[in-house]
Amino acid sequence: MQTLKNILCISLLMLAISIKINQAKECKIPENNEDIDWDKVKNDWYQGLHTNDEVMKKDVIGAKFRNFTKTNEGMRIVVIDLHENSPPQTLTFDFTKRRDGVYFAEKSEEPAVLASHTLTPDGRTNNKAKKIDDALFDGDNLVLCDEKNYLVYAFCSLSDEWVVWVAFPSLNPTIHQISLMWNKLIEKGIIVQLYPSKTVEHPEFMESLK
């Protein structure tokens, strides 16, 4: 819980910094980024922070990432999503590498993938969340990972705002890991406010996932 409070304090501090130094930061994928050796990204990772976008605040309450695999095209990952409006879903995503740190998410035609972020409580489609998914699958995505402390997935929404999803190797990241992540975001010119995933506040939600 103490770490969670620290996350919130750091997030509020970053928001204050963003207001002071850059009120209208352009959403643009940086040109020069670090390569990632996916063979070194081991074990399970957990979503810890996000920008409280329409996907995260309406449906997805947390996620587990596993089986990171380097492919000829880029990388493959297995994601277990926890949802407010539907049962947990295990999904496989393929990413094509554009250049170091920049990937294109290959859109699957599987109904479970297409609906995984956009369901409403009555089973309909959340059109605002669908726009986030449209941006996710239609443009370049920045992936920042030092292979052991943080995994950042960032892309520009259709309204030209940053969408940022952050994972750590545990649901209780250390202050060191959080600081490394913030420093990398600042280095890339990404100044956003981040919110804890519901599974950070309620880790018991993850206990049933194997």
Side-chain angles (χ1 to χ4, degrees), residues 47-67:
Q47 185 187 62
L49 297 167
H50 57 76
T51 40
N52 208 37
D53 52 86
E54 194 69 21
V55 167
M56 296 302 165
K57 71 181 180 181
K58 293 294 186 181
D59 184 33
V60 178
I61 62 176
K64 179 186 288 188
F65 306 89
R66 56 175 35 168
N67 297 344

Side-chain angles (χ1 to χ4, degrees), residues 98-167:
R98 300 286 206 189
R99 59 183 188 276
D100 286 354
V102 180
Y103 292 79
F104 182 84
E106 300 295 337
K107 188 172 184 178
S108 170
E109 295 303 321
E110 294 181 19
V113 175
L114 296 175
S116 64
H117 291 165
T118 61
L119 287 180
T120 61
D122 60 2
R124 298 186 181 186
T125 299
N126 178 343
N127 288 321
K128 291 182 179 179
K130 183 178 181 301
K131 288 182 179 180
I132 298 293
D133 269 6
D134 289 343
L136 167 67
F137 290 112
D138 289 343
D140 285 344
N141 303 275
L142 176 65
V143 183
L144 306 170
C145 182
D146 70 349
E147 299 156 3
K148 60 181 180 180
N149 291 298
Y150 61 83
L151 170 64
V152 176
Y153 197 83
F155 58 97
C156 298
S157 71
L158 299 182
S159 57
D160 202 36
E161 296 178 345
W162 280 110
V163 177
V164 178
W165 301 335
V166 184

Side-chain angles (χ1 to χ4, degrees), residues 5-20:
K5 290 180 180 177
N6 287 326
I7 291 173
L8 294 173
C9 289
I10 294 173
S11 184
L12 291 173
L13 176 61
M14 292 305 302
L15 179 62
I17 292 174
S18 70
I19 292 172
K20 285 187 176 181

Side-chain angles (χ1 to χ4, degrees), residues 72-126:
N72 292 333
E73 294 76 23
M75 64 89 92
R76 177 177 297 122
I77 185 175
V78 175
V79 180
I80 304 174
D81 271 346
L82 284 175
H83 299 275
E84 290 273 13
N85 305 317
S86 61
Q89 294 175 337
T90 300
L91 312 165
T92 300
F93 290 95
D94 287 289
F95 294 86
T96 299
K97 183 178 178 180
R98 300 286 206 189
R99 59 183 188 276
D100 286 354
V102 180
Y103 292 79
F104 182 84
E106 300 295 337
K107 188 172 184 178
S108 170
E109 295 303 321
E110 294 181 19
V113 175
L114 296 175
S116 64
H117 291 165
T118 61
L119 287 180
T120 61
D122 60 2
R124 298 186 181 186
T125 299
N126 178 343

Side-chain angles (χ1 to χ4, degrees), residues 19-67:
I19 292 172
K20 285 187 176 181
I21 68 174
N22 205 346
Q23 291 184 334
K25 184 68 180 179
E26 179 185 6
C27 186
K28 183 178 180 181
I29 303 292
E31 289 296 326
N32 298 314
N33 303 290
E34 299 77 23
D35 195 15
I36 302 168
D37 186 349
W38 293 107
D39 289 336
K40 294 182 178 178
V41 184
K42 303 294 186 180
N43 304 318
D44 293 342
W45 290 60
Y46 301 87
Q47 185 187 62
L49 297 167
H50 57 76
T51 40
N52 208 37
D53 52 86
E54 194 69 21
V55 167
M56 296 302 165
K57 71 181 180 181
K58 293 294 186 181
D59 184 33
V60 178
I61 62 176
K64 179 186 288 188
F65 306 89
R66 56 175 35 168
N67 297 344

Side-chain angles (χ1 to χ4, degrees), residues 177-190:
Q177 290 171 327
I178 297 168
S179 297
L180 288 173
M181 179 272 299
W182 276 123
N183 289 339
K184 182 56 64 174
L185 286 180
I186 294 171
E187 176 187 317
K188 299 300 179 181
I190 303 174

